[in-house]
Amino acid sequence: MFKIPHISPARLPELLRRMPKAELHIHIEGSLEPELIFALAQRNGVSLPYPDVESLRRAYAFTNLQSFLDIYYAGASVLIQEQDFYDMAWAYLQRAAADHVVHAELFFDPQTHTARGIAMETVVRGLHRACTDARAQLGVDATLILCFLRHLSEEDAFATLEQALPLRDLFIGVGLDSSELGHPPEKFARVFARCRELGLHLVAHAGEEGPPAYIWSALDELKVQRIDHGVQALKDPALVQRLAQDRIPLTVCPFSNVKLCVFPDLASSNLAQLLDAGLAVTINSDDPAYFGGYLNDNFVQTFAATGLNAHHAYTLARNSFEASFVTEAQRHDWEHQLKAVFESFSEHDF
Ligand code: HPA
Ligand code: ZN
């Protein structure tokens, strides 16, 4: 075990920003800033129901997940050309690099685009090209996870998978997102079984607004490797035990939970309890352009509000690498970098 050096609380924000980390729960369409929405709308001749950036931003006052999704899908309507998808992902990856994100697994929602007549290939090739450039130019390792929209049918998910299969080498897994309540994971059991046969990694949103039963279903019916959100798990001690025993990672998104009224404020986040229960928790930004900040903002403000310390910081960063879909060698390399950064923050330096 790595002995965490003593680090003064005053230096904690700097350490949180500087430590290498992975981001595993980011919807790339949720990184579309209002300025880029307006720029793309103009480039593509799309008209928006808001006169300017400020009035669009003012509309970002959400009461629950659905109230966000309505505006999030409307924002994505400006994405038409392959270059638009590239520009969106590139903007996120530059911010990720600035936040010392060394690895990112980007969710994308192809059905939001194919339903508007955009080809699957346009979406995936644009996003993938940005990932390739990020590795070469920013030193950020980035991969793609295709999400099925759970408010649509399983048949639609199967058709989407079919369209994506010629591009199979350009994404590493599948996820499940959109409106949770009323759309339990088992609705997608057959398409997830097929994805498993194809060797794709499997994740699903569960227990964001939905009950612990949805987390059980994601584990037992979909056989997912990670749970996205999962914050409702604490309502079910047997589930917490299962998640701990199998070291199923939870990709928790503190800003998202506050903006979508899952918790009243950051201080009410149950992150510390999830960590205390021994769960493999990670911190993520979810939809940073809509929820008020990117990954380092989530770290710094959540730590300030909840009183988490340098030990928690190390655990969270380490968990992010443990939960990543990468090789053992890659994971060890990043863990080594993480230790080096913590050692460089040791009090002995002063
Ligand atoms: N939950 C479900 N679907 C989503 C989210 C989320 O937080 N963000 C983008 N799509
Ligand atoms: Zn999400």
Side-chain angles (χ1 to χ4, degrees):
M1 261 306 282
F2 174 59
K3 172 128 175 30
I4 313 267
H6 186 263
I7 292 161
S8 77
R11 296 193 75 205
L12 187 54
E14 192 190 344
L15 173 67
L16 291 167
R17 293 185 185 283
R18 178 62 192 86
M19 68 181 185
K21 52 187 82 71
E23 175 147 57
L24 306 176
H25 185 161
I26 155 79
H27 301 263
I28 201 60
E29 292 90 348
S31 74
L32 203 47
E33 291 286 345
E35 288 78 6
L36 189 52
I37 291 180
F38 272 84
L40 294 177
Q42 189 167 32
R43 186 156 103 187
N44 291 323
V46 175
S47 66
L48 292 167
Y50 298 91
D52 51 39
V53 165
E54 288 68 36
S55 47
L56 174 58
R57 221 184 271 282
R58 269 198 300 277
Y60 294 179
F62 313 116
T63 50
N64 57 23
L65 174 58
Q66 192 60 50
S67 66
F68 155 69
L69 290 171
D70 293 341
I71 207 159
Y72 160 83
Y73 294 132
S77 69
V78 300
L79 298 158
I80 311 277
Q81 310 289 338
E82 183 185 312
Q83 188 64 36
D84 305 338
F85 291 91
Y86 177 94
D87 290 346
M88 170 174 67
W90 183 249
Y92 164 73
L93 289 162
Q94 284 180 304
R95 289 178 180 265
D99 279 1
H100 296 277
V101 170
V102 294
H103 173 70
E105 297 179 10
L106 313 183
F107 291 147
F108 68 106
D109 288 341
Q111 287 153 298
T112 302
H113 314 300
T114 53
R116 299 181 289 116
I118 312 296
M120 177 68 80
E121 195 166 351
T122 302
V123 178
V124 178
R125 290 214 182 275
L127 298 177
H128 185 261
R129 189 156 53 84
C131 292
T132 304
D133 285 355
R135 220 159 291 145
Q137 297 175 37
L138 304 172
V140 177
D141 181 61
T143 51
L144 299 173
I145 295 181
L146 181 161
C147 284
F148 299 119
L149 297 180
R150 69 202 302 160
H151 68 274
L152 301 177
S153 67
E154 187 181 46
E155 193 187 354
D156 207 309
F158 264 117
T160 301
L161 177 62
E162 211 48 52
Q163 290 164 13
L165 280 185
L167 304 157
R168 164 72 184 83
D169 293 343
L170 306 188
F171 59 100
I172 62 161
V174 297
L176 187 64
D177 65 3
S178 189
S179 323
E180 186 180 12
L181 290 169
H183 303 284
E186 63 268 22
K187 179 177 165 187
F188 296 90
R190 283 161 301 180
V191 74
F192 268 66
R194 178 74 189 118
C195 291
R196 208 156 94 96
E197 284 172 2
L198 290 165
L200 289 159
H201 289 293
L202 308 179
V203 300
H205 284 53
E208 178 183 13
E209 289 183 341
Y214 283 24
I215 303 177
W216 283 109
S217 173
L219 295 174
D220 292 334
E221 308 295 328
L222 303 188
K223 305 195 188 311
V224 298
Q225 298 162 277
R226 296 195 300 245
I227 297 287
D228 296 312
H229 294 293
V231 292
Q232 304 298 337
L234 283 181
K235 291 178 175 161
D236 181 344
L239 175 58
V240 171
Q241 199 183 356
R242 165 77 182 279
L243 293 167
Q245 196 177 306
D246 292 353
R247 271 203 84 67
I248 302 289
L250 302 185
T251 61
V252 173
C253 307
F255 278 17
S256 168
N257 288 163
V258 173
K259 291 288 179 189
L260 302 188
C261 306
V262 172
F263 297 117
D265 50 36
L266 277 180
S268 311
S269 157
N270 63 9
L271 200 79
Q273 292 97 302
L274 293 167
L275 282 165
D276 286 348
L279 304 189
V281 182
T282 65
I283 287 188
N284 305 270
S285 69
D286 206 5
D287 299 283
Y290 292 90
F291 298 155
Y294 287 76
L295 190 51
N296 280 356
D297 304 321
N298 272 269
F299 267 100
V300 171
Q301 292 189 37
T302 304
F303 272 61
T306 60
L308 295 177
N309 60 33
H311 285 84
H312 296 114
Y314 182 80
T315 300
L316 286 160
R318 202 187 160 282
N319 287 349
S320 77
F321 298 131
E322 179 188 338
S324 295
F325 298 134
V326 295
T327 63
E328 278 292 300
Q330 180 65 85
R331 187 173 302 145
H332 286 148
D333 186 32
W334 288 326
E335 285 171 4
H336 186 76
Q337 290 177 28
L338 177 65
K339 285 178 189 167
V341 167
F342 269 70
E343 273 157 4
S344 77
F345 272 72
S346 158
E347 295 290 88
H348 303 302
D349 291 348
F350 296 91

